[in-house]
Amino acid sequence: MFSPETETLSRKKIQELQLERLKYIVRYAYENVAMYKERFDAIGLKPEHIRSLKDIEKIPYTTKDDLRDNYPFKLFAVPMKKIIRIHASSGTTGKPITCGYTRQDLDNWSTCIARVLAMAGATDEDIFHVAFGYGLFTGGFGLHYGIEKLGATVVPVSSGNTERQIMLLKDFGATALIATPSYAMYLAETAKKMGVLGDLRLRLACVGAEASTAEMHESLRNILGVFPTENYGLTEVGGPGVAGECREKAGMHINEDMFYPEIADIEHNKVLGEGEKGELLLTTLTKEGMPILRYRTKDITSLTYEPCKCGRTLARMARVVGRTDDMLIIRGVNVFPSQIESVLMGMPELGKTYEIIVDRVNYMDTIEVRVEVGDTGLLDDYGKLEALVAKIKHNLRVVVQLDVKVKLVEPFSIKRAEGKVKRVTDLRKK
Ligand code: DLL
């Protein structure tokens, strides 16, 4: 463990620490960020009204629109002189979401990352190949400094040029890969195609920045021969390092001394209990540069406070099912892309790349899944092909309760992403 004293605190001690920090950060945000002062004043809320952790529920949510409205730096709580780094969201449309860090914020951030990597089983002997983009995106630099803090070796390759990445993975003898799950899979496929899979020394893959399924992890384990773990975070609260899986793979441990998590049913303005599924809210407990209270992440998950078999007591969040804004409503049925992925990845006859196309034809929603076959030979055998399509349709129907059109395509015919993958095209939005 990287911070054993914190990662094994009793629930009572964690809560005491959280309450002390919550009271501090609420007052700090109120006194230093105009938006929070206005919000609190408008409802007659004062920092001293926060006396227990439950009192957090008196505080209004912070949303992405609040961040957009205060673009670029109006939510910073310190003078610019104290901000030593800025990152921004990877969003491709409109103005990005910004985040500013003080020196202390960067130090806390790298501690969070070092913990997450140690949870995954990494040590100072590992050589990390970082395939996340370096730049405004929090992934590259975020992981980078955490790896250094752990004392391991960092190879800051950044994204792009996949064949060169394979060469470097092989030549530098990387033992740990940092990438999105979809890019980790693309690297695996490419190494296989280049015939060098057996030359790689990778033992860990720490994936994050997009949703992954248990089936995707299983495929990474089988193809790349790594122990995969996932980690979670978002620009608005600082980037990666909010939470990460340990070797038990029983949920992601949240760095609860730095982030206070809640699960909410937004529609009914209600905080949900342990195990209940809803939208994750996060409050930063230590951020100086840009404190955020009750941020609506839009990510759907649930929490457990049961101590983990690994010895950590930090609460765990379940794998993210999807984002509220990624949920597809097809003929009235709610479908998350992750449900489709779990079906496709669970079928060994199929490749690991797929796309989902949603449309509306004659006022009727349609959903089509295009998925690569594992082996080109299949495409020449009509009988086998028909049987496979029928099997996929059946498996999808069981999970998503919809008739899904299925099209099998050749290996490598679907475009790969070098960062976050976009699997869904919703033509109804045109
Ligand atoms: O993706 C931060 C990050 C970088 C996390 C590297 C992990 C590793 P954003 O670009 O702001 O920040 O995107 C944040 O990505 O709200 C989730 O919807 C999604 N996301 C991130 N990690 C996971 C994960 C970074 N492990 C948004 N599982 C979040 C599912 C994830 N979704």
Side-chain angles (χ1 to χ4, degrees):
M1 276 183 222
F2 188 76
S3 313
E5 62 304 334
T6 308
E7 294 176 69
T8 60
L9 281 175
S10 68
R11 182 70 1 218
K12 186 163 167 280
K13 289 272 182 227
I14 293 177
Q15 288 179 338
E16 282 170 11
L17 178 66
Q18 287 181 320
L19 180 57
E20 185 193 314
R21 291 187 169 175
L22 178 66
K23 285 181 182 168
Y24 177 82
I25 207 74
V26 167
R27 178 167 299 281
Y28 177 81
Y30 180 79
E31 289 174 355
N32 296 290
V33 182
M35 181 190 81
Y36 283 119
K37 179 158 190 335
E38 279 161 26
R39 288 275 159 88
F40 276 48
D41 289 349
I43 54 168
L45 184 65
K46 296 271 174 251
E48 54 271 26
H49 295 156
I50 306 300
R51 294 184 205 99
S52 68
L53 286 175
K54 178 119 182 92
D55 285 339
I56 196 172
E57 294 174 28
K58 296 176 180 162
I59 303 174
Y61 306 133
T62 304
T63 63
K64 190 166 247 170
D65 282 342
D66 294 330
L67 273 81
R68 290 220 168 98
D69 293 345
N70 287 283
Y71 173 85
F73 304 147
K74 278 190 259 171
L75 294 182
F76 289 5
V78 293
M80 211 54 194
K81 185 171 176 301
K82 291 221 157 150
I83 297 285
I84 62 168
R85 177 101 65 82
I86 288 168
H87 281 287
S89 69
S90 45
T92 44
T93 52
K95 299 274 191 196
I97 299 301
T98 51
C99 185
Y101 307 75
T102 64
R103 190 169 301 280
Q104 183 63 50
D105 291 337
L106 289 183
D107 191 50
N108 287 342
W109 190 13
S110 48
T111 298
C112 287
I113 299 284
R115 284 185 198 163
V116 161
L117 300 175
M119 281 175 204
T123 71
D124 57 5
E125 309 231 352
D126 277 299
I127 301 174
F128 277 88
H129 178 107
V130 182
F132 278 143
Y134 277 66
L136 283 176
F137 177 51
T138 51
F141 282 104
L143 268 298
H144 183 103
Y145 289 103
I147 296 166
E148 286 192 354
K149 191 159 208 173
L150 184 67
T153 308
V154 50
V155 186
V157 185
S158 197
S159 56
N161 204 339
T162 303
E163 293 201 357
R164 184 179 152 79
Q165 300 236 5
I166 301 294
M167 179 190 83
L168 296 174
L169 274 168
K170 180 162 106 36
D171 295 349
F172 293 2
T175 56
L177 173 65
I178 300 282
T180 54
S182 55
Y183 194 60
M185 185 54 77
Y186 182 25
L187 283 169
E189 292 173 326
T190 310
K192 193 170 169 193
K193 210 159 84 174
M194 288 165 70
V196 297
L197 208 44
D199 300 333
L200 303 187
R201 288 185 52 215
L202 285 175
R203 65 180 196 95
L204 302 173
C206 304
V207 298
E210 69 187 17
S212 49
T213 53
E215 290 78 7
M216 172 66 123
H217 284 223
E218 201 45 41
S219 302
L220 282 173
R221 194 198 291 253
N222 292 337
I223 302 177
L224 210 48
V226 290
F227 190 92
T229 53
E230 76 168 311
N231 57 82
Y232 169 87
L234 55 156
T235 313
E236 295 88 323
V237 301
V242 171
E245 267 184 329
C246 67
R247 309 279 293 187
E248 297 296 326
K249 288 183 76 67
M252 294 182 271
H253 289 283
I254 300 176
N255 280 309
E256 276 189 284
D257 54 331
M258 312 265 192
F259 302 96
Y260 183 75
E262 299 168 86
I263 299 291
D265 169 350
I266 300 290
E267 206 185 319
H268 300 99
N269 195 20
K270 204 172 120 203
V271 172
L272 301 175
E274 180 164 3
E276 290 184 277
K277 211 182 273 177
E279 181 173 334
L280 176 69
L281 307 179
L282 288 170
T283 297
T284 61
L285 294 175
T286 53
K287 287 217 56 208
E288 296 176 337
M290 197 175 108
I292 293 278
L293 308 178
R294 308 194 83 203
Y295 185 69
R296 280 189 55 189
T297 64
K298 302 227 172 153
D299 292 318
I300 300 169
T301 179
S302 59
L303 298 176
T304 171
Y305 297 95
E306 273 289 303
C308 180
K309 284 199 197 119
C310 72
R312 289 178 184 82
T313 50
L314 297 174
R316 282 167 284 156
M317 58 182 271
R319 180 162 283 150
V320 174
V321 190
R323 292 177 56 80
T324 49
D325 42 13
D326 281 351
M327 189 179 77
L328 299 166
I329 304 179
I330 315 281
R331 303 195 284 274
V333 179
N334 298 348
V335 179
F336 280 108
S338 62
Q339 294 175 294
I340 293 180
E341 174 170 309
S342 64
V343 170
L344 302 177
M345 295 281 158
M347 298 182 63
E349 308 92 314
L350 299 178
K352 306 301 168 199
T353 306
Y354 64 94
E355 54 188 357
I356 301 168
I357 293 123
V358 180
D359 203 352
R360 183 166 288 146
V361 181
N362 298 333
Y363 305 102
M364 183 79 151
D365 295 332
T366 58
I367 175 164
E368 179 181 74
V369 168
R370 291 184 194 153
V371 57
E372 292 179 3
V373 288
D375 151 26
T376 333
L378 248 180
L379 292 170
D380 301 328
D381 187 331
Y382 189 73
K384 274 194 187 156
L385 210 60
E386 284 268 279
L388 182 55
V389 168
K391 187 169 158 196
I392 303 170
K393 281 180 149 209
H394 170 80
N395 292 356
L396 285 171
R397 177 154 244 304
V398 170
V399 174
V400 300
Q401 276 138 34
L402 273 176
D403 277 323
V404 177
K405 193 168 162 207
V406 172
K407 188 169 174 198
L408 292 174
V409 296
E410 276 189 45
F412 287 98
S413 60
I414 297 175
K415 194 171 179 306
R416 267 54 173 172
E418 289 173 349
K420 295 189 192 229
V421 68
K422 183 178 169 294
R423 308 255 196 219
V424 182
T425 307
D426 194 340
L427 297 169
R428 296 174 303 181
K429 289 182 182 158
K430 266 195 175 168

Short mmCIF file of all heavy atoms in Angstrom, two decimals, residues 64 88-91 132 137-140 143 178-179 207-212 230-236 239-241 243 252 297-299 317 319-323 326 420, ligand 1:
data_model
loop_
_atom_site.label_atom_id
_atom_site.label_comp_id
_atom_site.label_asym_id
_atom_site.label_seq_id
_atom_site.Cartn_x
_atom_site.Cartn_y
_atom_site.Cartn_z
N LYS A 64 -22.01 20.61 -14.75
CA LYS A 64 -21.12 20.97 -15.86
C LYS A 64 -21.43 22.37 -16.37
O LYS A 64 -20.53 23.13 -16.71
CB LYS A 64 -21.27 19.93 -16.97
CG LYS A 64 -20.22 20.08 -18.04
CD LYS A 64 -20.14 18.87 -18.95
CE LYS A 64 -18.84 18.19 -18.74
NZ LYS A 64 -18.53 16.96 -19.26
N ALA A 88 -7.65 20.72 -19.01
CA ALA A 88 -9.01 20.97 -19.51
C ALA A 88 -9.58 19.67 -20.04
O ALA A 88 -8.84 18.74 -20.39
CB ALA A 88 -8.99 22.03 -20.60
N SER A 89 -10.91 19.62 -20.11
CA SER A 89 -11.59 18.40 -20.54
C SER A 89 -11.26 18.09 -21.99
O SER A 89 -10.89 18.97 -22.77
CB SER A 89 -13.09 18.55 -20.40
OG SER A 89 -13.54 19.50 -21.35
N SER A 90 -11.47 16.83 -22.33
CA SER A 90 -11.16 16.38 -23.69
C SER A 90 -12.34 16.61 -24.62
O SER A 90 -12.30 16.19 -25.75
CB SER A 90 -10.80 14.90 -23.64
OG SER A 90 -11.71 14.22 -22.83
N GLY A 91 -13.40 17.25 -24.12
CA GLY A 91 -14.61 17.44 -24.95
C GLY A 91 -14.27 18.08 -26.29
O GLY A 91 -13.41 18.94 -26.38
N PHE A 132 -1.53 7.43 -22.72
CA PHE A 132 -2.53 8.51 -22.68
C PHE A 132 -1.90 9.76 -23.28
O PHE A 132 -0.69 9.98 -23.13
CB PHE A 132 -2.88 8.87 -21.23
CG PHE A 132 -3.89 7.96 -20.59
CD1 PHE A 132 -3.78 7.62 -19.25
CD2 PHE A 132 -4.99 7.48 -21.30
CE1 PHE A 132 -4.71 6.81 -18.64
CE2 PHE A 132 -5.93 6.67 -20.69
CZ PHE A 132 -5.78 6.33 -19.36
N PHE A 137 -5.47 17.18 -21.63
CA PHE A 137 -6.11 16.00 -21.04
C PHE A 137 -5.36 15.61 -19.76
O PHE A 137 -4.13 15.64 -19.72
CB PHE A 137 -6.06 14.85 -22.06
CG PHE A 137 -6.60 13.54 -21.57
CD1 PHE A 137 -7.85 13.46 -20.97
CD2 PHE A 137 -5.86 12.37 -21.73
CE1 PHE A 137 -8.35 12.24 -20.53
CE2 PHE A 137 -6.36 11.14 -21.29
CZ PHE A 137 -7.60 11.08 -20.69
N THR A 138 -6.13 15.26 -18.72
CA THR A 138 -5.50 14.96 -17.42
C THR A 138 -4.80 13.60 -17.37
O THR A 138 -4.04 13.34 -16.44
CB THR A 138 -6.59 14.95 -16.33
OG1 THR A 138 -7.64 14.08 -16.76
CG2 THR A 138 -7.14 16.34 -16.07
N GLY A 139 -5.09 12.73 -18.37
CA GLY A 139 -4.58 11.36 -18.31
C GLY A 139 -3.07 11.24 -18.32
O GLY A 139 -2.48 10.61 -17.43
N GLY A 140 -2.42 11.85 -19.31
CA GLY A 140 -0.96 11.69 -19.48
C GLY A 140 -0.18 12.23 -18.29
O GLY A 140 0.46 11.47 -17.54
N LEU A 143 -1.13 10.58 -14.69
CA LEU A 143 -0.51 9.29 -14.40
C LEU A 143 1.00 9.44 -14.26
O LEU A 143 1.62 8.85 -13.38
CB LEU A 143 -0.87 8.28 -15.50
CG LEU A 143 -2.11 7.41 -15.30
CD1 LEU A 143 -1.95 6.53 -14.06
CD2 LEU A 143 -3.40 8.18 -15.19
N ILE A 178 -0.42 1.88 -19.42
CA ILE A 178 -1.43 2.86 -19.02
C ILE A 178 -2.14 3.30 -20.30
O ILE A 178 -1.51 3.87 -21.19
CB ILE A 178 -0.76 4.11 -18.38
CG1 ILE A 178 0.04 3.75 -17.14
CG2 ILE A 178 -1.80 5.20 -18.12
CD1 ILE A 178 -0.77 3.51 -15.90
N ALA A 179 -3.43 3.02 -20.39
CA ALA A 179 -4.17 3.36 -21.62
C ALA A 179 -5.67 3.28 -21.35
O ALA A 179 -6.09 2.87 -20.27
CB ALA A 179 -3.81 2.35 -22.72
N VAL A 207 -6.12 0.50 -16.76
CA VAL A 207 -6.93 1.17 -17.79
C VAL A 207 -7.95 2.10 -17.15
O VAL A 207 -8.38 1.89 -16.02
CB VAL A 207 -7.63 0.14 -18.71
CG1 VAL A 207 -6.60 -0.69 -19.45
CG2 VAL A 207 -8.59 -0.76 -17.93
N GLY A 208 -8.32 3.14 -17.88
CA GLY A 208 -9.31 4.08 -17.36
C GLY A 208 -9.66 5.10 -18.41
O GLY A 208 -9.25 4.99 -19.57
N ALA A 209 -10.42 6.09 -17.98
CA ALA A 209 -10.87 7.22 -18.82
C ALA A 209 -12.08 6.89 -19.68
O ALA A 209 -12.64 7.78 -20.31
CB ALA A 209 -9.74 7.79 -19.68
N GLU A 210 -12.48 5.64 -19.70
CA GLU A 210 -13.73 5.27 -20.39
C GLU A 210 -14.24 3.98 -19.74
O GLU A 210 -13.48 3.29 -19.04
CB GLU A 210 -13.49 5.06 -21.90
CG GLU A 210 -12.65 3.85 -22.20
CD GLU A 210 -12.26 3.72 -23.67
OE1 GLU A 210 -12.34 4.71 -24.42
OE2 GLU A 210 -11.85 2.61 -24.05
N ALA A 211 -15.48 3.68 -19.99
CA ALA A 211 -16.08 2.51 -19.37
C ALA A 211 -15.45 1.22 -19.89
O ALA A 211 -15.06 1.14 -21.05
CB ALA A 211 -17.58 2.51 -19.63
N SER A 212 -15.33 0.24 -19.03
CA SER A 212 -14.94 -1.08 -19.50
C SER A 212 -15.80 -2.10 -18.79
O SER A 212 -16.40 -1.81 -17.77
CB SER A 212 -13.46 -1.35 -19.26
OG SER A 212 -13.08 -1.05 -17.94
N GLU A 230 -8.84 -1.27 -13.31
CA GLU A 230 -9.27 0.01 -13.87
C GLU A 230 -9.22 1.11 -12.83
O GLU A 230 -9.25 0.85 -11.63
CB GLU A 230 -10.66 -0.10 -14.50
CG GLU A 230 -11.80 -0.16 -13.55
CD GLU A 230 -13.13 0.03 -14.30
OE1 GLU A 230 -13.25 0.97 -15.09
OE2 GLU A 230 -14.03 -0.78 -14.07
N ASN A 231 -9.09 2.32 -13.31
CA ASN A 231 -9.12 3.47 -12.42
C ASN A 231 -10.03 4.52 -13.00
O ASN A 231 -10.36 4.50 -14.18
CB ASN A 231 -7.70 3.99 -12.15
CG ASN A 231 -6.98 4.35 -13.41
OD1 ASN A 231 -7.17 5.44 -13.95
ND2 ASN A 231 -6.17 3.43 -13.93
N TYR A 232 -10.44 5.44 -12.13
CA TYR A 232 -11.52 6.37 -12.49
C TYR A 232 -11.20 7.79 -12.06
O TYR A 232 -10.55 8.00 -11.02
CB TYR A 232 -12.81 5.90 -11.81
CG TYR A 232 -13.95 6.89 -11.86
CD1 TYR A 232 -14.82 6.91 -12.94
CD2 TYR A 232 -14.14 7.80 -10.82
CE1 TYR A 232 -15.87 7.82 -12.99
CE2 TYR A 232 -15.19 8.72 -10.87
CZ TYR A 232 -16.04 8.73 -11.96
OH TYR A 232 -17.07 9.64 -12.02
N GLY A 233 -11.65 8.74 -12.82
CA GLY A 233 -11.53 10.14 -12.43
C GLY A 233 -12.12 11.02 -13.50
O GLY A 233 -12.59 10.54 -14.53
N LEU A 234 -12.15 12.32 -13.25
CA LEU A 234 -12.68 13.27 -14.23
C LEU A 234 -12.03 14.63 -14.03
O LEU A 234 -11.65 14.98 -12.91
CB LEU A 234 -14.21 13.37 -14.14
CG LEU A 234 -14.84 13.71 -12.79
CD1 LEU A 234 -16.21 14.33 -13.02
CD2 LEU A 234 -15.01 12.45 -11.96
N THR A 235 -11.91 15.36 -15.12
CA THR A 235 -11.23 16.65 -15.12
C THR A 235 -11.76 17.58 -14.02
O THR A 235 -10.99 18.23 -13.32
CB THR A 235 -11.46 17.36 -16.48
OG1 THR A 235 -11.22 16.42 -17.52
CG2 THR A 235 -10.56 18.56 -16.64
N GLU A 236 -13.08 17.64 -13.91
CA GLU A 236 -13.72 18.61 -13.02
C GLU A 236 -13.21 18.53 -11.59
O GLU A 236 -13.17 19.53 -10.88
CB GLU A 236 -15.25 18.39 -13.03
CG GLU A 236 -15.91 18.66 -14.37
CD GLU A 236 -15.94 17.44 -15.30
OE1 GLU A 236 -14.96 16.66 -15.33
OE2 GLU A 236 -16.94 17.29 -16.02
N GLY A 239 -9.01 15.03 -12.30
CA GLY A 239 -8.51 14.04 -13.26
C GLY A 239 -8.51 12.64 -12.70
O GLY A 239 -9.27 12.34 -11.77
N PRO A 240 -7.65 11.75 -13.25
CA PRO A 240 -7.61 10.38 -12.75
C PRO A 240 -7.14 10.36 -11.29
O PRO A 240 -6.62 11.35 -10.80
CB PRO A 240 -6.57 9.71 -13.66
CG PRO A 240 -5.75 10.83 -14.20
CD PRO A 240 -6.66 12.01 -14.30
N GLY A 241 -7.32 9.21 -10.63
CA GLY A 241 -6.83 9.11 -9.25
C GLY A 241 -7.95 9.25 -8.22
O GLY A 241 -7.70 9.19 -7.03
N ALA A 243 -10.35 7.05 -7.92
CA ALA A 243 -10.56 5.69 -7.42
C ALA A 243 -9.84 4.68 -8.30
O ALA A 243 -9.57 4.95 -9.47
CB ALA A 243 -12.06 5.37 -7.41
N MET A 252 -13.82 -0.16 -7.20
CA MET A 252 -12.67 0.76 -7.17
C MET A 252 -12.63 1.51 -5.85
O MET A 252 -13.60 2.17 -5.46
CB MET A 252 -12.77 1.74 -8.33
CG MET A 252 -12.62 1.06 -9.69
SD MET A 252 -12.69 2.25 -11.06
CE MET A 252 -14.44 2.31 -11.39
N THR A 297 -21.43 13.99 -11.50
CA THR A 297 -20.53 13.39 -12.49
C THR A 297 -21.27 12.83 -13.70
O THR A 297 -20.66 12.58 -14.73
CB THR A 297 -19.74 12.22 -11.87
OG1 THR A 297 -20.68 11.21 -11.50
CG2 THR A 297 -18.94 12.65 -10.66
N LYS A 298 -22.57 12.54 -13.52
CA LYS A 298 -23.38 11.85 -14.54
C LYS A 298 -23.00 10.38 -14.68
O LYS A 298 -23.55 9.67 -15.52
CB LYS A 298 -23.28 12.53 -15.92
CG LYS A 298 -23.70 13.98 -15.88
CD LYS A 298 -24.64 14.29 -17.01
CE LYS A 298 -25.22 15.67 -16.87
NZ LYS A 298 -25.58 16.23 -18.13
N ASP A 299 -22.04 9.92 -13.89
CA ASP A 299 -21.64 8.51 -13.97
C ASP A 299 -22.51 7.69 -13.01
O ASP A 299 -22.70 8.07 -11.86
CB ASP A 299 -20.17 8.36 -13.60
CG ASP A 299 -19.27 9.00 -14.65
OD1 ASP A 299 -19.57 8.82 -15.86
OD2 ASP A 299 -18.30 9.68 -14.29
N MET A 317 -16.37 2.01 -5.25
CA MET A 317 -17.46 2.27 -6.20
C MET A 317 -17.48 1.15 -7.23
O MET A 317 -16.42 0.65 -7.65
CB MET A 317 -17.29 3.64 -6.90
CG MET A 317 -16.00 3.85 -7.67
SD MET A 317 -15.89 5.52 -8.39
CE MET A 317 -16.67 5.25 -9.98
N ARG A 319 -18.07 -0.70 -10.84
CA ARG A 319 -17.75 -0.31 -12.21
C ARG A 319 -18.87 0.58 -12.74
O ARG A 319 -20.05 0.30 -12.49
CB ARG A 319 -17.62 -1.59 -13.03
CG ARG A 319 -17.30 -1.38 -14.46
CD ARG A 319 -16.78 -2.66 -15.07
NE ARG A 319 -15.39 -2.89 -14.70
CZ ARG A 319 -14.83 -4.10 -14.58
NH1 ARG A 319 -15.53 -5.17 -14.81
NH2 ARG A 319 -13.58 -4.21 -14.25
N VAL A 320 -18.51 1.63 -13.47
CA VAL A 320 -19.51 2.57 -13.97
C VAL A 320 -20.34 1.88 -15.07
O VAL A 320 -19.79 1.36 -16.03
CB VAL A 320 -18.82 3.84 -14.53
CG1 VAL A 320 -19.81 4.77 -15.20
CG2 VAL A 320 -18.06 4.57 -13.42
N VAL A 321 -21.65 1.88 -14.86
CA VAL A 321 -22.54 1.21 -15.84
C VAL A 321 -22.61 2.05 -17.11
O VAL A 321 -22.77 1.53 -18.21
CB VAL A 321 -23.98 1.13 -15.28
CG1 VAL A 321 -24.84 0.24 -16.15
CG2 VAL A 321 -23.99 0.69 -13.84
N GLY A 322 -22.55 3.36 -16.93
CA GLY A 322 -22.63 4.27 -18.07
C GLY A 322 -22.86 5.66 -17.55
O GLY A 322 -22.95 5.87 -16.33
N ARG A 323 -22.93 6.61 -18.46
CA ARG A 323 -23.25 7.98 -18.06
C ARG A 323 -24.72 8.21 -18.32
O ARG A 323 -25.27 7.66 -19.28
CB ARG A 323 -22.42 8.96 -18.89
CG ARG A 323 -20.94 8.92 -18.59
CD ARG A 323 -20.20 9.88 -19.51
NE ARG A 323 -20.70 11.23 -19.42
CZ ARG A 323 -20.37 12.09 -18.45
NH1 ARG A 323 -19.54 11.75 -17.51
NH2 ARG A 323 -20.87 13.30 -18.44
N ASP A 326 -25.24 8.94 -21.76
CA ASP A 326 -24.92 7.92 -22.77
C ASP A 326 -26.03 6.90 -22.89
O ASP A 326 -25.99 6.02 -23.75
CB ASP A 326 -23.68 7.11 -22.34
CG ASP A 326 -22.41 7.86 -22.62
OD1 ASP A 326 -22.48 8.90 -23.28
OD2 ASP A 326 -21.36 7.38 -22.16
N LYS A 420 -10.00 8.03 -26.16
CA LYS A 420 -11.30 7.51 -25.76
C LYS A 420 -12.05 7.07 -27.01
O LYS A 420 -12.11 7.79 -27.99
CB LYS A 420 -12.11 8.60 -25.07
CG LYS A 420 -11.50 9.06 -23.76
CD LYS A 420 -12.47 9.97 -23.04
CE LYS A 420 -11.78 10.66 -21.90
NZ LYS A 420 -12.51 10.57 -20.64
O1 DLL B 1 -10.97 10.67 -18.37
C1 DLL B 1 -9.76 11.26 -16.39
C2 DLL B 1 -9.04 9.97 -16.42
C3 DLL B 1 -7.89 9.85 -17.14
C4 DLL B 1 -9.52 8.89 -15.69
C5 DLL B 1 -7.19 8.69 -17.14
C6 DLL B 1 -8.83 7.70 -15.69
C7 DLL B 1 -7.68 7.57 -16.41
P1 DLL B 1 -12.35 13.32 -18.50
O2 DLL B 1 -11.77 13.38 -19.85
O3 DLL B 1 -12.82 14.58 -17.87
O4 DLL B 1 -11.31 12.74 -17.47
O5 DLL B 1 -13.54 12.28 -18.54
C8 DLL B 1 -14.21 11.92 -17.37
O6 DLL B 1 -14.70 9.74 -18.27
O7 DLL B 1 -16.97 11.27 -15.96
C9 DLL B 1 -16.49 9.05 -16.91
O8 DLL B 1 -17.69 9.21 -17.64
C10 DLL B 1 -15.39 8.58 -17.84
N1 DLL B 1 -14.47 7.69 -17.10
C11 DLL B 1 -13.27 7.94 -16.58
N2 DLL B 1 -12.77 6.83 -15.99
C12 DLL B 1 -13.70 5.84 -16.13
C13 DLL B 1 -13.82 4.47 -15.74
C14 DLL B 1 -10.73 11.50 -17.51
N3 DLL B 1 -12.85 3.83 -15.10
C15 DLL B 1 -15.28 10.90 -17.67
N4 DLL B 1 -14.96 3.82 -16.05
C16 DLL B 1 -15.97 10.40 -16.42
C17 DLL B 1 -15.97 4.43 -16.71
C18 DLL B 1 -14.80 6.41 -16.83
N5 DLL B 1 -15.92 5.71 -17.11
#
